[in-house]
Amino acid sequence: QVQLVESGGGLVQAGGSLRLSCVVSKNIFKSNAMAWYRQGLGNQRELVASITSRGSTNYADSVKGRFTISRDFTKNTVYLQMNSLKPEDTAVYFCNTIRGTTPWGQGTQVTVSS
């Protein structure tokens, strides 16, 4: 059973925007803080943004002021709005619980051209 399905990635020019979506199994979504992670080529996976069930958010310094995480309990979906994209944002983006305890999905590729 697939529990995390990411989508919304693509190729965009620097300065552009993308909105990522992650549909989460209901039993996982309703009781966990959720997060977006990314892994660039040759890099370790890093935490980008997180959101609690009450809506409190945290961001990596590299994306503060540019990315916004949100969640929709009616759709069991976590979003990542990414604005003012930079080439260094290029990576595969994944969602998971804040502790990364759910089997990882395939992620969605984001490529930012200069």
Side-chain angles (χ1 to χ4, degrees):
Q1 180 182 359
V2 178
Q3 298 174 309
L4 302 167
V5 181
E6 302 95 343
S7 63
L11 174 63
V12 64
Q13 289 187 334
S17 298
L18 284 172
R19 187 193 194 205
L20 306 184
S21 300
C22 177
V23 179
V24 185
S25 296
K26 184 176 182 180
N27 61 324
I28 296 170
F29 185 85
K30 67 180 181 180
S31 57
N32 284 281
M34 298 299 301
W36 282 97
Y37 302 78
R38 68 185 181 187
Q39 187 168 15
L41 191 63
N43 296 330
Q44 290 187 334
R45 190 172 292 162
E46 62 173 343
L47 179 65
V48 174
S50 64
I51 185 167
T52 68
S53 57
R54 294 187 176 186
S56 296
T57 59
N58 275 293
Y59 299 92
D61 287 343
S62 58
V63 307
K64 278 182 183 176
R66 300 189 297 121
F67 290 11
T68 302
I69 188 171
S70 61
R71 63 193 296 169
D72 185 338
F73 283 91
T74 66
K75 297 180 179 179
N76 299 327
T77 301
V78 185
Y79 302 99
L80 186 68
Q81 177 67 45
M82 305 187 296
N83 299 328
S84 302
L85 282 161
K86 305 176 181 180
E88 50 263 44
D89 295 319
T90 295
V92 180
Y93 285 71
F94 303 86
C95 72
N96 208 314
T97 63
I98 189 65
R99 293 183 297 276
T101 51
T102 299
W104 294 90
Q106 292 191 340
T108 186
Q109 176 70 48
V110 172
T111 303
V112 184
S113 63
S114 57

